[in-house]
Short mmCIF file of all heavy atoms in Angstrom, two decimals:
data_model
loop_
_atom_site.label_atom_id
_atom_site.label_comp_id
_atom_site.label_asym_id
_atom_site.label_seq_id
_atom_site.Cartn_x
_atom_site.Cartn_y
_atom_site.Cartn_z
N ASP A 56 127.33 199.56 271.65
CA ASP A 56 128.54 199.12 272.34
C ASP A 56 129.54 200.26 272.22
O ASP A 56 130.25 200.40 271.22
CB ASP A 56 129.10 197.85 271.69
CG ASP A 56 128.16 196.66 271.84
OD1 ASP A 56 127.18 196.78 272.58
OD2 ASP A 56 128.43 195.63 271.21
N LEU A 79 121.50 227.02 289.53
CA LEU A 79 121.73 226.90 288.10
C LEU A 79 122.61 225.68 287.88
O LEU A 79 123.73 225.62 288.38
CB LEU A 79 122.40 228.15 287.54
CG LEU A 79 122.76 228.12 286.06
CD1 LEU A 79 121.50 228.00 285.20
CD2 LEU A 79 123.56 229.36 285.66
N ASN A 89 122.77 217.66 272.11
CA ASN A 89 121.61 218.34 271.53
C ASN A 89 122.03 219.26 270.39
O ASN A 89 121.34 219.36 269.37
CB ASN A 89 120.89 219.15 272.61
CG ASN A 89 120.31 218.27 273.71
OD1 ASN A 89 120.08 217.10 273.50
ND2 ASN A 89 120.11 218.85 274.88
N GLY A 122 113.12 223.25 286.71
CA GLY A 122 113.82 222.26 287.54
C GLY A 122 112.96 221.04 287.74
O GLY A 122 111.93 220.84 287.09
N TYR A 126 107.39 214.93 292.04
CA TYR A 126 106.63 213.70 291.77
C TYR A 126 107.61 212.54 291.71
O TYR A 126 108.58 212.59 290.95
CB TYR A 126 105.86 213.81 290.46
CG TYR A 126 104.94 212.63 290.21
CD1 TYR A 126 103.60 212.70 290.57
CD2 TYR A 126 105.43 211.45 289.69
CE1 TYR A 126 102.75 211.61 290.39
CE2 TYR A 126 104.59 210.36 289.50
CZ TYR A 126 103.26 210.43 289.85
OH TYR A 126 102.44 209.35 289.69
N LEU A 128 109.66 209.60 294.32
CA LEU A 128 110.88 209.65 295.11
C LEU A 128 112.10 209.32 294.27
O LEU A 128 113.11 210.03 294.31
CB LEU A 128 110.79 208.67 296.29
CG LEU A 128 112.06 208.52 297.12
CD1 LEU A 128 112.43 209.83 297.79
CD2 LEU A 128 111.90 207.41 298.16
N TRP A 140 123.35 203.30 286.72
CA TRP A 140 123.65 204.22 285.63
C TRP A 140 122.38 204.75 284.97
O TRP A 140 122.43 205.69 284.18
CB TRP A 140 124.53 203.55 284.58
CG TRP A 140 125.96 203.47 284.99
CD1 TRP A 140 126.67 202.36 285.35
CD2 TRP A 140 126.87 204.56 285.09
NE1 TRP A 140 127.96 202.69 285.68
CE2 TRP A 140 128.11 204.04 285.52
CE3 TRP A 140 126.77 205.93 284.87
CZ2 TRP A 140 129.23 204.84 285.73
CZ3 TRP A 140 127.88 206.74 285.07
CH2 TRP A 140 129.09 206.18 285.50
N LEU A 145 110.12 203.26 284.11
CA LEU A 145 108.87 203.95 284.47
C LEU A 145 109.10 205.38 284.92
O LEU A 145 108.26 206.25 284.68
CB LEU A 145 108.15 203.15 285.56
CG LEU A 145 106.82 203.70 286.08
CD1 LEU A 145 105.79 203.77 284.96
CD2 LEU A 145 106.30 202.84 287.23
N SER A 191 97.17 224.10 272.95
CA SER A 191 96.08 224.14 273.92
C SER A 191 96.28 225.25 274.94
O SER A 191 95.32 225.81 275.47
CB SER A 191 95.96 222.80 274.65
OG SER A 191 96.97 222.67 275.66
N TYR A 208 113.45 212.73 306.42
CA TYR A 208 114.07 211.76 305.52
C TYR A 208 114.80 212.50 304.41
O TYR A 208 114.24 213.39 303.75
CB TYR A 208 112.97 210.88 304.91
CG TYR A 208 113.41 209.48 304.56
CD1 TYR A 208 113.26 208.44 305.46
CD2 TYR A 208 113.93 209.19 303.30
CE1 TYR A 208 113.63 207.14 305.13
CE2 TYR A 208 114.29 207.90 302.96
CZ TYR A 208 114.14 206.88 303.88
OH TYR A 208 114.50 205.60 303.54
N LEU A 227 102.67 210.23 298.60
CA LEU A 227 101.55 210.13 297.68
C LEU A 227 101.72 211.20 296.61
O LEU A 227 102.02 212.36 296.93
CB LEU A 227 100.23 210.33 298.42
CG LEU A 227 99.90 209.32 299.53
CD1 LEU A 227 98.61 209.72 300.23
CD2 LEU A 227 99.78 207.91 298.96
N ASN A 228 101.54 210.82 295.34
CA ASN A 228 101.79 211.72 294.22
C ASN A 228 100.57 211.79 293.31
O ASN A 228 99.85 210.80 293.14
CB ASN A 228 102.96 211.22 293.38
CG ASN A 228 104.19 210.89 294.20
OD1 ASN A 228 105.05 211.73 294.40
ND2 ASN A 228 104.29 209.64 294.66
N ARG A 230 99.14 214.04 289.50
CA ARG A 230 99.30 215.09 288.50
C ARG A 230 98.19 215.00 287.47
O ARG A 230 97.65 213.92 287.19
CB ARG A 230 100.69 215.04 287.84
CG ARG A 230 101.06 213.70 287.27
CD ARG A 230 102.57 213.55 287.10
NE ARG A 230 103.17 214.57 286.25
CZ ARG A 230 104.49 214.74 286.14
NH1 ARG A 230 105.34 214.00 286.84
NH2 ARG A 230 104.99 215.67 285.34
N ASN A 245 108.64 216.00 269.57
CA ASN A 245 109.27 215.26 270.66
C ASN A 245 108.61 215.44 272.03
O ASN A 245 109.10 214.87 273.02
CB ASN A 245 110.76 215.63 270.79
CG ASN A 245 111.53 215.35 269.52
OD1 ASN A 245 111.34 214.33 268.88
ND2 ASN A 245 112.41 216.28 269.13
N ALA A 349 123.10 195.95 290.61
CA ALA A 349 124.17 196.94 290.47
C ALA A 349 125.13 196.82 291.65
O ALA A 349 124.73 196.41 292.75
CB ALA A 349 123.60 198.35 290.39
#
Side-chain angles (χ1 to χ4, degrees):
D56 295 351
L79 177 63
N89 296 337
Y126 187 95
L128 174 63
W140 282 109
L145 180 61
S191 77
Y208 210 92
L227 299 176
N228 310 269
R230 53 201 301 169
N245 302 318

